[in-house]
Amino acid sequence: MHLTHRPVQSGDIPVICCFPQGPDELFYMFPKATYPLTPLQLSDAIAQRSASTVVEGQGLVLGFANFYKAEHGGVCALGNLVVAPAARGHGVARYLVQCMINLAREQFAARELWVSCFNHNTAGLLLYPQLGFVPFGVEERQTWDGTRVALVQMKQVLG
């Protein structure tokens, strides 16, 4: 599948809101949001973040991510990453993370890109190290229903 990327547009927001398939998936993507994800919740997050980007394939929006932290010459932190359910396992997340690495380098001259991944998010925990991210910390957090989880923090030094 041929993938492209571009900045998010307002018409993409209702589509992206359908990607999280339950409270757990929404928690991985956007811990502060309440399920189901609404256009207002996502629009507010986009307004407070940088480089909100979508991946397209075959004319469809297939993935979304942004930076919740973007320090010029410093650290960018990847957030809100989500892939359309039908597109999972087809390289969309890998392509999207590579795009975000390039944006961190080119738009922000970032020295490091950080990503945080919850311990239940097996796909993310397996993907990020393949793309050069190295764990550097673990924090305890609580899910939407109060369950204890580990947030694994990883980073990639951008050359």
Side-chain angles (χ1 to χ4, degrees):
M1 179 182 334
H2 177 71
L3 299 174
T4 59
H5 67 283
R6 61 171 172 75
V8 71
Q9 297 168 356
S10 59
D12 301 327
I13 291 172
V15 176
I16 296 163
C17 286
C18 296
F19 291 176
Q21 298 291 290
D24 289 337
E25 285 188 13
L26 178 58
F27 184 73
Y28 300 159
M29 172 206 174
F30 188 177
K32 292 182 177 148
T34 305
Y35 188 80
L37 183 58
T38 63
L40 181 61
Q41 289 180 92
L42 186 56
S43 296
D44 286 350
I46 289 168
Q48 296 170 33
R49 294 172 176 231
S50 304
S52 290
T53 300
V54 295
V55 171
E56 285 184 317
Q58 300 171 322
L60 301 171
V61 173
L62 301 177
F64 172 77
N66 56 33
F67 298 132
Y68 63 86
K69 177 180 188 175
E71 302 169 345
H72 195 82
V75 170
C76 285
L78 187 59
N80 287 163
L81 193 143
V82 66
V83 172
R88 294 175 187 169
H90 296 284
V92 174
R94 177 179 299 273
Y95 175 84
L96 180 53
V97 173
Q98 284 296 157
C99 292
M100 300 308 287
I101 290 169
N102 293 337
L103 284 172
R105 279 192 181 114
E106 294 161 15
Q107 280 188 15
F108 299 97
R111 290 188 327 263
E112 293 182 353
L113 180 59
W114 291 4
V115 65
S116 298
C117 190
F118 289 100
N119 63 294
H120 292 101
N121 185 352
T122 305
L125 289 174
L126 295 173
L127 174 66
Y128 295 124
Q130 290 175 9
L131 296 174
F133 289 86
V134 178
F136 72 92
V138 178
E139 287 181 17
E140 182 176 328
R141 294 286 173 89
Q142 284 195 333
T143 63
W144 56 276
D145 68 357
T147 306
R148 289 174 67 200
V149 292
L151 183 66
V152 180
Q153 298 167 313
M154 299 181 232
K155 69 180 174 183
Q156 181 177 133
V157 176
L158 304 175

